[in-house]
C-alpha cells in the first residue's frame, strides 16, 4: 500500500524524494547494455534536449511502450502519492524519457533550468563502482512560468549526490 511505498523514499531536500530501492542492479545493467547496443548500432539519434549533446530519447529506440507502462504502473501513482496537489488520477498522462551521458570529453554539467514537466524522475544508471554526479535544486520562490498550487512546499534548495541505483522524484 501507500505506507509501504512511501517508506521507500526519503525527502532529501524539501519536495525532493530519493530511493535506491526502485530499480535492481540487474535491471540497470540490462538497460545500460541495451543503450550501449543502440549506440553502437548506428541508429541515428537526436539530442535528448537543448542542453545535452549525448544521450538517447527512449521512445525513438523502441522503448515507448515499456516507458509508458512504467509511468502508468509506478511513476504516476508514486507522483500522486508524493505530490497530491499536482498529480491526480488523470494527470501526468504523457512522458518524455531520455538518457544523458556525462563524461570529461563530452557534456560535463547542466545549466540551471526548470524542468518542463509536472514531475521528473531522475535515475542514476551507473554501473557498480561509478562515482560522481549531483543534482542541485534552487528555491523556486513561485517565480516560475506556472504558479504552483496553494500549499505546495516542494520548492526547497539543496544538493542530491547520486550513486548507482538512486532514483529522485521531484517537481
Amino acid at each position: 500500500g501507500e505506507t509501504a511505498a512511501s517508506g521507500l523514499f526519503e525527502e532529501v531536500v524539501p519536495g525532493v524524494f530519493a530511493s535506491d530501492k526502485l530499480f535492481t542492479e540487474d535491471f540497470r545493467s540490462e538497460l545500460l547494455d541495451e543503450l550501449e547496443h543502440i549506440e553502437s548500432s548506428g541508429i541515428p539519434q537526436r539530442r535528448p534536449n537543448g542542453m545535452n549533446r549525448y544521450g538517447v530519447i527512449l521512445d525513438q529506440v523502441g522503448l515507448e511502450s515499456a516507458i509508458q507502462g512504467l509511468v502508468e504502473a509506478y511513476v504516476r501513482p508514486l507522483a500522486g502519492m508524493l505530490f497530491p496537489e499536482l498529480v491526480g488520477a488523470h494527470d501526468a498522462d504523457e512522458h518524455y524519457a531520455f538518457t544523458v551521458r556525462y563524461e570529461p570529453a563530452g557534456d560535463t554539467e547542466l545549466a540551471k533550468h526548470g524542468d518542463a514537466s509536472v514531475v521528473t524522475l531522475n535515475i542514476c544508471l551507473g554501473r557498480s563502482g561509478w562515482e560522481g554526479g549531483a543534482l542541485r535544486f534552487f528555491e523556486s520562490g513561485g517565480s516560475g512560468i506556472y504558479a504552483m498550487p496553494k500549499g505546495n512546499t516542494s520548492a526547497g534548495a539543496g544538493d542530491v549526490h547520486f550513486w548507482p541505483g538512486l532514483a529522485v522524484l521531484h517537481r
Side-chain angles (χ1 to χ4, degrees):
E2 195 169 300
T3 303
S6 65
L8 297 173
F9 289 90
E10 176 184 354
E11 190 170 19
V12 293
V13 170
V16 178
F17 299 89
S19 175
D20 58 5
K21 297 171 179 61
L22 297 183
F23 300 97
T24 66
E25 187 171 349
D26 286 344
F27 170 82
R28 295 189 326 271
S29 180
E30 289 178 20
L31 182 54
L32 282 171
D33 289 346
E34 185 61 22
L35 292 170
E36 289 169 2
H37 173 75
I38 290 165
E39 185 176 354
S40 66
S41 72
I43 295 172
Q45 296 171 32
R46 259 187 31 203
R47 293 170 65 140
N49 57 52
M51 296 177 286
N52 295 101
R53 295 174 292 166
Y54 307 102
V56 175
I57 301 170
L58 299 177
D59 284 5
Q60 294 183 348
V61 294
L63 295 173
E64 183 174 5
S65 63
I67 298 299
Q68 186 63 35
L70 179 70
V71 168
E72 289 173 5
Y74 299 102
V75 177
R76 186 180 316 129
L78 288 170
M81 177 187 71
L82 297 171
F83 304 103
E85 72 281 10
L86 297 176
V87 182
H90 303 290
D91 293 323
D93 286 338
E94 299 176 6
H95 70 266
Y96 182 65
F98 59 91
T99 65
V100 294
R101 186 178 68 233
Y102 295 103
E103 58 190 10
D107 292 334
T108 58
E109 62 183 22
L110 187 60
K112 182 179 177 181
H113 69 282
D115 289 345
S117 61
V118 176
V119 295
T120 297
L121 176 65
N122 297 96
I123 307 164
C124 178
L125 295 175
R127 296 198 189 274
S128 184
W130 178 89
E131 292 182 6
L135 187 55
R136 175 163 288 161
F137 291 90
F138 298 88
E139 288 190 34
S140 70
S143 62
I145 296 172
Y146 303 105
M148 297 305 292
K150 187 174 181 168
N152 184 294
T153 59
S154 55
D159 293 341
V160 177
H161 297 275
F162 281 95
W163 62 84
L166 185 67
V168 176
L169 194 62
H170 62 91
R171 66 152 182 87

